[in-house]
Amino acid sequence: MSASAIQNLNESLDLIKCTIESILKNEAEFQVLLASEIASSKDPEEFIRSYEKNEMMVKMSIVMSGETVGVSSTGEMFFKEELDFSAGGTVEGLPVSSSYLNYMGTWAYSMKCPVVKDGQEIATLYVEYVYDSIDKSLPNGFYNKQAILYIMDAESERFVLKPKGMGQRSAGHLNLTDFYRANNINEEGLREEVSECLENGKNIMFYHDIRQVNALNYMWSINDGTIFLVGYVPIEAIQREERMVKQNMYIVIAVMLAAFFLCCMLYYLNQRQRNRIRREREAEREIHNKQLAEALQAAQIASNSKTTFLSNMSHDIRTPMNAVLGFTTLLEKDAENPIKVREYTKKIMASGQHLLSLINDILDVSKIESGKVVLNYEEFTLSDLVSSVDAIIHPMAKAKNQKFHIEVKDIRHEYLIGDEMRMNQVLINLLSNAVKYTQAGGSIWFRIIGLKQRSSQFEHIRIEVEDNGFGMTQEYLKTIFDAFTRAENSTTNKVQGTGLGMAITKNIVELMGGTIDVTSEVDKGSLFRVELELRIPEGRAEKQFWEKSGISRMLLVDRDTEECKNILMHMQETGVCIETTSNAEEAVRLVADCGDAEYHLILMSLNAADTGGVHTAKELRAALPDTLPVLFFVTDDTVEVEEALCSPNTGILTKPFFVSALKERIMEMQADAGAKREEEQTESGSLEGMHFLAAEDVELNAEILMEVLKIDGADCEVVENGQLAVERFERAAEGEFDAILMDVQMPVMNGYDATRAIRALERSDARTIPIIAMTANAFAEDEKAALDAGMNAHVAKPIDIEMLHKVIIQYVKRKG
């Protein structure tokens, strides 16, 4: 074989080697430049967080001097022990790690560089590069694509890259051992020679048959042996190259007279190539400079965002605080005027509630963005969800003379598994915005629509919130889900809000695995769509309830055929026989002529009659025994409800129809009236004569608590920490205290530990005395922690007096 052909292979490999080493050098030079930029920044860690990845650098991390854990541009924590620099490889003096699979499943390597400020090393910068970026810089074609080439990490002997344009691509070669085995390279001496070259970072070529084809194998050192080019070229391809070389030599001899011209041309081409490489390097530097400028711009944007955040917070917090302080001053001056005192206190309460909602929204956004929000999946019913939302939104809409419509259709399962509290939060955010940004007299639609199921285990639903209000511009729609953004125009700029509701809503929907989108047009209204898939609980024994309740036959009176169809669909699994009629007179006749096949329940829409709802209701009630329950199916704005309820054994069922809501109404009507009165008396009971032990370390809070209890005729003994609370209860006579009101964050011993200590005391009332947490720790996990510690209930600060009263009555009476 001609030495010139082998030399040609050497040159090809050297060209690839130079290309890769040039890339590594440029990466190292840019990392040093980046380290100097970080050193001049005010906050190196914030600089890293704001840096976005590119095709070359997928992740940047920084570890401050003296620490082992740092931050990354991807937002996660960085542990420097996870990288292995033991191989000792360097590029331009920067240590290079061994190759590894990064979080994207791509082979990568990292370089580390000290960050020096004023002659002192303040941190270490780690930058992760992927081998895939090298692939784009390699020449396209290698021995007419008959050869094969891999890039191998010398330390682990793993193949980290199979360049796309470098010849055949043999699948399955993962490392050098796999390459040996696949190609039957088993000679012990040859393997030892290869191992020696790997250890010393030297190049090697050897002949060996690959799949019964003579081939020249090679291992080519790059960057002093930290990585190697590994592969082979079929001898046939080399010989073909050799024949081409000889042919070229004959041509050169034949055109000897033109040798000088050719030399000049080659010189010109060489210079042209050098200039091209120089321009490419300059272009790379320009790209790097541009990236650095973009990084600086990103840091400036982050700084501006922080300034905007503080500005918004200053405005939004000062607005209600100004009202609180202003009306407090007026309250002091007009303390003798009870009318003004009541007016001022209402306004102070409203401003305080607005300030509290602002703080809650900020904390909610912070928890969501930090990934600390955990959804609480429990079984709930759509009827409860719709009722709770309607109870809040309907009065708001009514106050602005708006029409609020609720539609539920094509829902196959009422009982679902999900985070009801978070879903309620999403709906309240969307619907309250619809009320706020819709003019008086407008309309709002709340729809829950069942979609085609993708799985039999999940109910696929779409939630729509639509209004015909002010609408939004297309420019604002692009940022509607960003924090602290609000539509600003002459119509809406007087509407109070934190600008966080939509950001929280979008984050919660995405946490649930759903999607949210919005369409809007100025002066025509907006439409929000939320799509969710909620798990369906295992089968429920619906028939047992109806059998135990003695309901097997029901009469439905409604002239809306679509509504009747919906009710029949929902009730088909209950085993209840349902007859329908749209005519009031026909309903009276059916009841009178039923004979032995009597009806056990009448469900009638008040607007079903032709002659008026109240008249029809009285006729039906007169034709039925008092023991037969009648439910009127109504909307919230039906004006005749109260008059119809004057009849005995009569109740109402609010639209839309849910089986679970119907069951609740039946159970309420079957409940003993005396028991219900007793329960109502318990709920509204007095605290007169009760004696409480309170653990509270803040003197002002203790004073407020004592005054609140004093108004209700109760008194309170206050201790300053949890340890004193345990000791005081231990000394107390049995029954001396009706309940313990426990703060959580206190010196000496916190409320959780104090509760556990009290529950562990060897006295009969230690396990039964009600312990109620009163704390500023207001999140769901805080409530769970209180209950886990042995407390009976959790009341968040600032204290809602009515809520505290209800909780005390509930648990103290239960003890009695």
Side-chain angles (χ1 to χ4, degrees):
M1 182 182 297
S2 172
S4 61
I6 298 177
Q7 179 62 28
N8 181 269
L9 175 59
N10 275 269
E11 291 175 356
S12 297
L13 293 173
D14 283 337
L15 178 61
I16 297 173
K17 170 184 176 180
C18 290
T19 302
I20 294 175
E21 289 183 344
S22 175
I23 292 172
L24 295 174
K25 180 180 178 182
N26 288 335
E27 289 172 349
E29 290 175 351
F30 180 68
Q31 188 164 340
V32 172
L33 183 63
L34 193 60
S36 65
E37 183 69 17
I38 292 174
S40 63
S41 67
K42 293 183 180 180
D43 188 350
E45 293 186 343
E46 183 60 26
F47 184 97
I48 293 297
R49 291 191 189 96
S50 63
Y51 200 89
E52 297 182 357
K53 72 176 183 178
N54 53 49
E55 294 181 356
M56 183 176 65
M57 297 183 297
V58 298
K59 185 170 75 172
M60 288 173 42
S61 307
I62 191 169
V63 178
M64 305 306 293
S65 295
E67 298 181 4
T68 59
V69 180
V71 298
S72 298
S73 59
T74 58
E76 59 189 10
M77 298 178 67
F78 174 75
F79 301 88
K80 65 181 183 179
E81 290 82 2
E82 294 179 351
L83 296 178
D84 181 12
F85 291 89
S86 62
T90 61
V91 178
E92 295 293 302
L94 300 186
V96 183
S97 73
S98 298
S99 302
Y100 57 90
L101 281 170
N102 65 10
Y103 71 98
M104 298 184 297
T106 302
W107 281 101
Y109 58 93
S110 292
M111 295 187 197
K112 64 178 180 179
C113 173
V115 180
V116 180
K117 184 175 184 179
D118 299 331
Q120 183 178 1
E121 182 176 336
I122 63 171
T124 302
L125 172 66
Y126 296 82
V127 179
E128 178 179 292
Y129 308 89
V130 293
Y131 282 98
D132 287 345
S133 64
I134 296 176
D135 193 7
K136 298 180 181 180
S137 302
L138 296 179
N140 188 15
F142 195 44
Y143 278 94
N144 199 24
K145 297 189 177 181
Q146 292 184 337
I148 189 166
L149 176 142
Y150 296 95
I151 295 180
M152 181 185 76
D153 178 68
E155 178 69 13
S156 62
E157 298 185 358
R158 291 297 299 259
F159 290 168
V160 296
L161 181 64
K162 299 177 184 178
K164 296 182 177 64
M166 303 301 291
Q168 301 176 13
R169 293 173 58 80
S170 178
H173 297 333
L174 304 177
N175 52 37
L176 188 58
T177 302
D178 189 23
F179 184 84
Y180 282 156
R181 182 175 59 254
N183 297 312
N184 295 320
I185 303 176
N186 301 316
E187 295 84 343
E188 194 66 33
L190 181 57
R191 288 199 177 194
E192 290 178 0
E193 186 177 356
V194 171
S195 297
E196 183 180 350
C197 291
L198 279 176
E199 184 176 351
N200 298 324
K202 295 181 179 180
N203 302 330
I204 184 174
M205 285 187 179
F206 58 90
Y207 292 98
H208 195 280
D209 291 350
I210 303 297
R211 298 180 183 176
Q212 299 179 351
V213 175
N214 291 335
L216 180 59
N217 295 259
Y218 60 86
M219 297 186 65
W220 221 248
S221 171
I222 297 178
N223 192 37
D224 297 330
T226 57
I227 56 178
F228 276 78
L229 301 176
V230 178
Y232 58 82
V233 183
I235 292 177
E236 180 183 353
I238 297 177
Q239 289 173 341
R240 188 180 297 113
E241 185 75 15
E242 179 185 10
R243 288 193 294 270
M244 292 178 63
V245 172
K246 288 181 179 180
Q247 183 180 356
N248 290 336
M249 289 177 62
Y250 295 149
I251 295 173
V252 171
I253 294 172
V255 293
M256 186 67 72
L257 296 176
F260 178 75
F261 174 76
L262 290 176
C263 289
C264 292
M265 183 61 69
L266 290 173
Y267 175 79
Y268 168 75
L269 293 175
N270 182 265
Q271 287 298 110
R272 183 178 175 182
Q273 183 175 0
R274 287 178 179 271
N275 291 334
R276 181 178 61 81
I277 293 174
R278 178 179 54 80
R279 287 195 299 270
E280 287 179 352
R281 290 183 177 179
E282 289 177 354
E284 287 180 358
R285 290 193 185 94
E286 289 180 1
I287 292 174
H288 293 163
N289 290 336
K290 182 180 178 180
Q291 291 172 343
L292 192 60
E294 290 174 350
L296 179 61
Q297 184 181 7
Q300 291 172 343
I301 291 173
S303 177
N304 293 336
S305 298
K306 181 180 69 174
T307 302
T308 303
F309 171 82
L310 294 175
S311 176
N312 284 333
M313 285 300 89
S314 175
H315 173 270
D316 288 345
I317 290 177
R318 286 175 183 273
T319 299
M321 279 302 299
N322 178 66
V324 170
L325 297 176
F327 283 114
T328 303
T329 302
L330 295 174
L331 187 64
E332 183 180 10
K333 293 182 178 180
D334 296 324
E336 303 302 325
N337 188 334
I339 297 177
K340 289 190 174 182
V341 167
R342 281 192 291 271
E343 180 183 351
Y344 295 158
T345 51
K346 285 182 181 178
K347 293 178 179 179
I348 291 173
M349 178 66 72
S351 298
Q353 291 293 339
H354 177 63
L355 181 61
L356 182 61
S357 69
L358 173 63
I359 294 171
N360 286 337
D361 281 350
I362 295 171
L363 295 177
D364 226 353
V365 167
S366 175
K367 288 187 66 180
I368 291 172
E369 292 182 348
S370 63
K372 294 181 180 179
V373 169
V374 178
L375 296 178
N376 182 25
Y377 287 101
E378 293 180 345
E379 185 174 322
F380 70 96
T381 65
L382 283 178
S383 65
D384 289 343
L385 182 66
V386 172
S387 297
S388 62
V389 170
D390 183 58
I392 295 173
I393 300 301
H394 198 90
M396 294 172 58
K398 192 172 183 180
K400 294 185 67 175
N401 196 27
Q402 295 169 340
K403 295 181 180 179
F404 181 46
H405 308 276
I406 300 178
E407 300 175 15
V408 179
K409 63 180 181 179
D410 299 332
I411 296 296
R412 298 167 183 81
H413 302 87
E414 294 180 32
Y415 293 89
L416 299 170
I417 295 177
D419 192 328
E420 183 180 8
M421 183 190 74
R422 290 295 182 184
M423 287 189 65
N424 191 284
Q425 185 178 1
V426 168
L427 296 177
I428 294 300
N429 278 345
L430 294 176
L431 288 165
S432 62
N433 276 353
V435 172
K436 287 192 292 184
Y437 295 104
T438 299
Q439 66 279 4
S443 295
I444 297 161
W445 293 267
F446 170 36
R447 308 183 187 98
I448 300 181
I449 304 169
L451 304 180
K452 183 178 180 182
Q453 291 177 262
R454 298 190 181 103
S455 168
S456 60
Q457 297 178 340
F458 290 87
E459 180 80 14
H460 188 190
I461 68 171
R462 176 189 293 156
I463 298 170
E464 293 184 354
V465 174
E466 184 178 4
D467 64 71
N468 59 358
F470 305 133
M472 295 170 280
T473 64
Q474 297 304 309
E475 292 76 13
Y476 176 65
L477 288 179
K478 297 176 182 178
T479 60
I480 185 173
F481 294 114
D482 296 340
F484 298 107
T485 57
R486 292 178 56 207
E488 295 293 339
N489 57 58
S490 59
T491 306
T492 65
N493 58 9
K494 292 184 179 181
V495 179
Q496 287 191 345
T498 64
L500 294 170
M502 287 298 99
I504 294 172
T505 297
K506 184 175 187 294
N507 280 313
I508 292 175
V509 169
E510 290 178 349
L511 275 174
M512 293 178 177
T515 60
I516 181 171
D517 61 76
V518 57
T519 57
S520 183
E521 191 172 345
V522 175
D523 296 330
K524 291 187 178 180
S526 304
L527 171 61
F528 286 84
R529 289 189 180 94
V530 176
E531 286 198 16
L532 294 170
E533 288 190 288
L534 300 173
R535 180 173 288 279
I536 301 168
E538 296 181 359
R540 305 176 60 89
E542 290 288 341
K543 293 185 179 180
Q544 294 182 2
F545 168 82
W546 302 98
E547 291 174 357
K548 291 180 179 179
S549 300
I551 298 175
S552 60
R553 193 160 180 252
M554 187 174 91
L555 178 61
L556 174 60
V557 186
D558 198 329
R559 63 185 173 188
D560 189 337
T561 56
E562 286 297 321
E563 195 166 67
C564 290
K565 181 180 177 182
N566 181 58
I567 294 174
L568 291 173
M569 181 188 73
H570 281 82
M571 292 289 292
Q572 62 184 359
E573 295 182 0
T574 62
V576 177
C577 177
I578 301 177
E579 297 181 20
T580 62
T581 179
S582 61
N583 182 275
E585 290 75 12
E586 178 69 15
V588 174
R589 187 187 65 77
L590 287 173
V591 172
D593 298 341
C594 65
D596 294 334
E598 62 180 354
Y599 296 104
H600 304 119
L601 177 66
I602 308 296
L603 178 62
M604 186 188 73
S605 175
L606 272 187
N607 58 3
D610 296 329
T611 57
V614 176
H615 177 71
T616 304
K618 290 180 178 180
E619 281 191 352
L620 276 176
R621 186 70 276 177
L624 301 174
D626 291 344
T627 56
L628 178 58
V630 176
L631 282 174
F632 295 116
F633 197 32
V634 301
T635 56
D636 279 344
D637 54 359
T638 303
V639 296
E640 302 161 333
V641 173
E642 292 184 3
E643 187 175 352
L645 285 177
C646 295
S647 302
N649 204 7
T650 306
I652 63 170
L653 182 65
T654 306
K655 297 182 180 180
F657 180 83
F658 289 101
V659 176
S660 56
L662 177 60
K663 288 166 61 176
E664 288 180 6
R665 293 297 177 269
I666 291 172
M667 287 188 291
E668 287 177 4
M669 295 175 69
Q670 291 178 341
D672 180 73
K676 183 180 293 186
R677 283 195 300 272
E678 182 179 346
E679 181 181 354
E680 291 173 354
Q681 290 172 359
T682 301
E683 290 293 328
S684 59
S686 172
L687 305 184
E688 184 73 33
M690 293 187 183
H691 185 49
F692 300 99
L693 174 61
E696 175 60 69
D697 61 318
V698 179
E699 185 176 350
L700 184 60
N701 289 343
E703 182 179 349
I704 293 173
L705 177 62
M706 293 175 69
E707 290 299 322
V708 167
L709 294 174
K710 186 177 180 181
I711 292 173
D712 248 352
D715 61 3
C716 178
E717 182 176 338
V718 179
V719 294
E720 297 177 357
N721 57 63
Q723 181 64 46
L724 293 176
V726 175
E727 294 173 356
R728 180 64 184 90
F729 179 75
E730 197 170 12
R731 296 193 308 269
E734 185 170 341
E736 180 178 347
F737 296 111
D738 292 283
I740 299 175
L741 308 178
M742 185 75 72
D743 191 13
V744 171
Q745 293 187 0
M746 295 182 291
V748 185
M749 179 184 287
N750 63 44
Y752 298 145
D753 292 339
T755 300
R756 295 187 185 97
I758 290 174
R759 295 302 189 202
L761 293 175
E762 295 184 357
R763 49 185 291 173
S764 59
D765 59 344
R767 295 181 180 273
T768 59
I769 186 170
I771 303 179
I772 300 169
M774 294 196 312
T775 172
N777 298 344
F779 293 121
E781 53 265 35
D782 301 316
E783 182 175 358
K784 183 177 184 300
L787 298 178
D788 290 344
M791 298 184 187
N792 298 85
H794 176 280
V795 178
K797 294 178 180 177
I799 297 298
D800 184 325
I801 297 174
E802 292 298 325
M803 177 61 70
L804 177 62
H805 184 279
K806 290 180 180 179
V807 169
I808 291 175
I809 288 296
Q810 177 183 358
Y811 286 97
V812 172
K813 289 297 183 183
R814 180 181 299 174
K815 182 198 75 169

